[in-house]
Amino acid sequence: VLFAKATGGAADTRPFWVVRDRVRSAGAHAVAAHWHLAPGLAAEPEAGGARVRVTAEEADVLSIATFGGAGGAFRVEPGWV
């Protein structure tokens, strides 16, 4: 896990987190990672499913993306912890 703090440069520079997981296996496997959001936040996958947009009262508050050679896609499911 890496936190990159904004430096006060460009107007669109925002702090961000990088979470890197690596899964290695001799065979094919399905892998799932679950991100839990606070009440009042809404999540909507963007076209292609590699990024999800998180909003509060219709304002963007977070963008979560997946990348890498294996690909990946988000889906939003109701639930609670």
Side-chain angles (χ1 to χ4, degrees):
V1 176
L2 168 73
F3 177 70
K5 183 178 176 183
T7 60
D12 63 349
T13 301
R14 299 179 190 151
F16 61 93
W17 290 90
V18 175
V19 178
R20 181 179 182 211
D21 287 331
R22 175 180 280 181
V23 178
R24 290 184 170 188
S25 157
H29 287 77
V31 177
H34 300 270
W35 296 85
H36 302 274
L37 302 176
L41 295 179
E44 182 177 331
E46 294 182 356
R51 183 178 303 269
V52 67
R53 178 178 166 228
V54 180
T55 59
E57 298 178 10
E58 299 184 23
D60 289 345
V61 295
L62 180 66
S63 179
I64 304 172
T66 182
F67 53 90
F74 286 101
R75 73 173 179 241
V76 177
E77 299 177 350
W80 60 274
V81 176

